[in-house]
Amino acid sequence: MGNLDKDILEKIDDWLSSSYDEETRASVQKLIDDQAETELIDSFYKDLEFGTGGLRGIMGVGSNRMNKYTIGKATQGLSNYLIKQFPNQEIKVAVSYDSRNNSQSFGQLVAQVFAANGIKVYLFNELRPTPMLSFAIRHFGCKSGVMLTASHNPKEYNGYKAYWNDGSQLTAPHDKNVIDEVNAIASVKDIRFEGNTQNIIPVGEEIDPIYIEANKALSIHPEAVQAQKDLKIVYSPIHGTGITIVPKMLASWGFENVTVVTEQATPDGNFPTVIYPNPEEEDAMALAKKKGEEIDADLVLATDPDADRVGIAVKNSQGQFQLLNGNQIGSLLIYYVLSAKSDLKQLGNNPYIVKTIVTSNLQADIANHYHVAHYETLTGFKYIGELMTKLGDSAQYLAGGEESYGYLVGDLVRDKDAPNSCAFLAEMTAYFKSKGKTVYEVLLDIYQEFGCYQEKLISLTKKGKAGAEEIQAMMAGLRQNLPTTLGGIEVKEIRDYELSQTTDMKTGRKSEITLPKSDVLQFITVDGDVISARPSGTEPKIKFYCSVKGTLHDKSDYLSLQNTLEEKVDRMMKDIVG
């Protein structure tokens, strides 16, 4: 146990004190008795950071783990901030949770702490999707909200997403101010765990039809749904919250032929059929895709545990089911919404879409074609939500999202919304089928009209203290040795969002980036290719994104052009990732 430094030992001693319950002390003592040195270091080398989006970490005892004390501390800090921000006002918050192990008990704990601070809590009776928490905040007139979820992380994780009164996750200045309040709590004795249960109001199924009907009102082509009501749809909630809403949503819109993947239908925090319950992963989509093949489906859908992300599979030109990536799904949604509303002259006043800085520029190309404004934000849907709130009624948000499979059509919530996206993806499929086209054929139409984009994401997982240091070193190394070429192509421009500056590589001229600071590097080549390097804010990963573009003269050339672009992407990625 010689590698435990003084600070770690002091924290361990504190967690063995009577300030913590007997079960917690026993768990810490067991780690000591088992001489689990690495586990002790990772559990206590730092405090689990209440970051700009809340908490996310492995469940267990210790200051760097998700447990009743780290969650209690976060909630006490948020309560303190709310009381300061809204003096002499009734403060209401909403609390919900997903299917992860301990999510329900953590949700009840959060409600108790809020209640103990004199705050009224709308606590969901049962698990519900994250976007419904965002919806509930606005519906009930809350000042804040908390969702207990680790989204698509492995089963060992849980998380705590904190929201503001607009239904968006915390952004400046509230995010930093709440962090300060959390860090100001010196002892677990300062956490009020015992609440007044009269301050806790249960939220039941009565909110479901309100949310569903509000979404249904956004439908653009309900007649296409009626004409294609037998559209064959396969849906998997991947053991998560989507099962509570997505089938109801699709039925409400008029789809009568939805097959749920039974092996993944029951909410289960152990995620028994997958390792990563993430629709970005082929393995997570495998059962849904297989069911799609069995019934010859028109559309295959799968949502992550808290149902804010959705992946899809469609039949390609060879009749085989193919997974689409997040950029393709988002681009199809934006194309459908903008083209359909343009045809119906329903684009509205000052319409706009939003994408993040690592999302395909194809979406900007589509927006330009329809004379719709497009905005870019940092990665994280909270920045899209923040922009929606900032623009308010002065402009009309139509659609937007992230390459990481999170989208939103319409402005009912301020977060990515998989039930909403599932309904629109189904409507889109029905509409184009009524026109004699498959989704895949429409994607090729888009590539032929706007340019054929090829994207790739490489995620490197680096766990624990050593992993965090390695990720920092990788970003520092990139900044110290900025590449002048990538895959043999000259780098024209470098954008460093941490330094808030763009550098022209030929002239050396620097210009300001007006977005908030973020640890992201982007390299733009003379061909217009974009490579981005970014440590994840929610996982122990560093991510590298690449996007290139070619010209598709004829749809029959797509596969050969795709291979050419893939080779280009691989050459560029090799130069930056190794």
Side-chain angles (χ1 to χ4, degrees):
M1 305 286 279
N3 291 322
L4 302 182
D5 62 30
K6 180 184 176 183
D7 290 340
I8 291 175
L9 289 170
E10 286 180 355
K11 282 187 178 179
I12 291 172
D13 285 342
D14 179 45
W15 279 66
L16 288 169
S17 74
S18 59
S19 297
Y20 296 82
D21 63 38
E22 185 176 341
E23 183 182 356
T24 296
R25 298 199 304 270
S27 297
V28 175
Q29 188 61 53
K30 187 175 188 309
L31 291 175
I32 296 169
D33 294 342
D34 292 345
Q35 296 191 334
E37 189 171 289
T38 300
E39 179 69 14
L40 283 166
I41 290 171
D42 286 345
S43 298
F44 289 98
Y45 83 93
K46 66 173 184 176
D47 290 345
L48 184 64
E49 295 177 8
F50 189 96
T52 53
L55 300 170
R56 190 174 297 190
I58 294 171
M59 290 178 279
V61 294
S63 61
N64 190 38
R65 293 288 187 255
M66 286 289 292
N67 52 63
K68 67 178 286 188
Y69 296 102
T70 53
I71 290 171
K73 182 178 178 180
T75 309
Q76 186 62 55
L78 178 53
S79 298
N80 293 346
Y81 184 65
L82 287 167
I83 291 166
K84 289 179 180 178
Q85 283 291 297
F86 304 104
N88 304 315
Q89 296 183 43
E90 180 186 50
I91 301 173
K92 297 184 288 186
V93 301
V95 177
S96 188
Y97 48 88
D98 70 0
S99 61
R100 286 183 175 272
N101 294 331
N102 299 316
S103 278
Q104 184 173 17
S105 60
F106 286 161
Q108 292 166 345
L109 170 73
V110 168
Q112 288 286 343
V113 175
F114 277 133
N117 284 275
I119 294 171
K120 182 179 288 187
V121 186
Y122 290 93
L123 174 65
F124 279 73
N125 282 338
E126 298 178 315
L127 73 170
R128 283 296 183 272
T130 288
M132 289 192 68
L133 184 277
S134 177
F135 180 83
I137 290 170
R138 304 176 77 202
H139 177 71
F140 292 119
C142 297
K143 304 297 188 188
S144 181
V146 172
M147 178 74 188
L148 282 303
T149 177
S151 189
H152 56 285
N153 283 59
K155 64 182 180 181
E156 296 83 9
Y157 285 78
N158 214 316
Y160 178 111
K161 292 181 180 178
Y163 290 76
W164 201 240
N165 59 5
D166 62 347
S168 177
Q169 288 188 56
L170 297 180
T171 55
H174 306 300
D175 52 0
K176 298 294 195 302
N177 292 343
V178 171
I179 290 170
D180 289 343
E181 290 288 347
V182 174
N183 292 338
I185 297 172
S187 168
V188 294
K189 295 177 182 177
D190 297 329
I191 304 169
R192 298 176 183 172
F193 282 111
E194 299 299 325
N196 178 358
T197 55
Q198 290 183 340
N199 285 340
I200 301 175
I201 302 165
V203 178
E205 291 184 353
E206 68 276 2
I207 197 171
D208 295 354
I210 299 171
Y211 168 76
I212 289 170
E213 288 302 314
N215 272 282
K216 186 180 176 183
L218 300 173
S219 173
I220 304 170
H221 279 298
E223 80 289 347
V225 175
Q226 182 59 33
Q228 302 291 335
K229 62 184 180 181
D230 290 328
L231 192 80
K232 293 180 184 176
I233 300 171
V234 168
Y235 170 65
S236 171
I238 314 182
H239 308 291
T241 61
I243 191 64
T244 65
I245 291 296
V246 173
K248 292 180 187 176
M249 180 83 81
L250 293 172
S252 172
W253 282 46
F255 294 103
E256 299 178 358
N257 193 4
V258 179
T259 300
V260 176
V261 179
T262 55
E263 300 96 320
Q264 297 178 324
T266 303
D268 188 337
N270 292 314
F271 309 115
T273 64
V274 296
I275 297 173
Y276 293 96
N278 183 357
E280 293 183 67
E281 303 283 341
E282 280 195 42
D283 287 347
M285 295 285 295
L287 286 174
K289 184 179 170 187
K290 180 182 176 184
K291 180 57 70 174
E293 292 166 348
E294 288 176 8
I295 70 168
D296 192 31
D298 295 289
L299 176 66
V300 174
L301 301 162
T303 55
D304 68 342
D306 68 321
D308 61 355
R309 299 169 189 245
V310 57
I312 76 170
V314 297
K315 280 187 286 188
N316 61 24
S317 52
Q318 286 78 46
Q320 299 169 328
F321 276 88
Q322 179 175 323
L323 302 180
L324 300 188
N325 66 41
N327 283 305
Q328 292 171 323
I329 300 168
S331 298
L332 280 162
L333 272 173
I334 284 173
Y335 176 75
Y336 171 64
V337 172
L338 268 55
S339 63
K341 283 186 172 288
S342 177
D343 289 344
L344 296 171
K345 295 182 170 40
Q346 293 179 358
L347 285 173
N349 295 322
N350 299 322
Y352 70 97
I353 65 146
V354 194
K355 73 179 199 69
T356 70
I357 59 174
V358 297
T359 301
S360 178
N361 286 326
L362 173 57
Q363 294 171 19
D365 295 342
I366 295 169
N368 288 334
H369 175 79
Y370 289 102
H371 306 291
V372 170
H374 68 272
Y375 293 90
E376 275 197 339
T377 69
L378 293 177
T379 304
F381 211 96
K382 66 179 184 177
Y383 296 111
I384 297 177
E386 178 186 39
L387 179 64
M388 292 168 67
T389 298
K390 178 182 176 182
L391 293 176
D393 295 334
S394 68
Q396 185 175 348
Y397 170 88
L398 297 179
E402 306 178 291
E403 55 73 41
S404 54
Y405 293 65
Y407 324 101
L408 173 68
V409 179
D411 64 353
L412 286 178
V413 304
R414 295 290 184 271
D415 210 343
K416 47 189 179 284
D417 189 333
N420 162 280
S421 301
C422 285
F424 271 100
L425 287 164
E427 178 178 298
M428 175 189 77
T429 305
Y431 175 74
F432 287 124
K433 187 174 183 179
S434 69
K435 300 293 183 183
K437 289 196 171 186
T438 67
V439 171
Y440 187 81
E441 287 169 338
V442 174
L443 180 63
L444 296 190
D445 286 341
I446 293 170
Y447 283 157
Q448 193 169 15
E449 183 172 3
F450 300 103
C452 185
Y453 282 81
Q454 184 71 33
E455 286 98 9
K456 185 172 184 177
L457 167 65
I458 294 178
S459 294
L460 304 179
T461 300
K462 307 287 181 180
K463 294 183 178 180
K465 181 174 183 288
E469 292 170 349
E470 189 175 351
I471 288 172
Q472 287 181 345
M474 291 176 76
M475 291 299 292
L478 276 174
R479 287 188 168 93
Q480 291 164 9
N481 301 285
L482 295 171
T484 55
T485 62
L486 289 168
I489 303 165
E490 184 182 349
V491 175
K492 178 182 73 173
E493 182 180 293
I494 293 177
R495 298 171 187 169
D496 191 329
Y497 290 84
E498 185 69 36
L499 299 178
S500 298
Q501 69 180 23
T502 296
T503 302
D504 186 307
M505 296 296 282
K506 183 169 284 187
T507 66
R509 182 181 175 186
K510 300 185 186 301
S511 55
E512 183 184 3
I513 295 174
T514 57
L515 293 175
K517 289 181 182 293
S518 183
D519 190 11
V520 181
L521 276 171
Q522 279 191 328
F523 308 92
I524 293 86
T525 72
V526 291
D527 287 354
D529 313 309
V530 182
I531 284 192
S532 309
R534 168 186 165 266
S536 172
T538 57
E539 301 172 275
K541 292 180 178 181
I542 182 168
K543 296 185 175 184
F544 299 91
Y545 310 77
C546 184
S547 176
V548 302
K549 181 182 178 182
T551 301
L552 182 61
H553 297 289
D554 190 280
K555 285 180 223 175
S556 62
D557 298 331
Y558 174 62
L559 292 180
S560 61
L561 175 59
Q562 186 182 41
N563 289 334
T564 300
L565 294 176
E566 281 180 352
E567 290 171 1
K568 182 179 184 181
V569 167
D570 289 341
R571 289 196 306 271
M572 296 175 72
M573 282 294 216
K574 186 176 180 182
D575 280 355
I576 201 162
V577 181

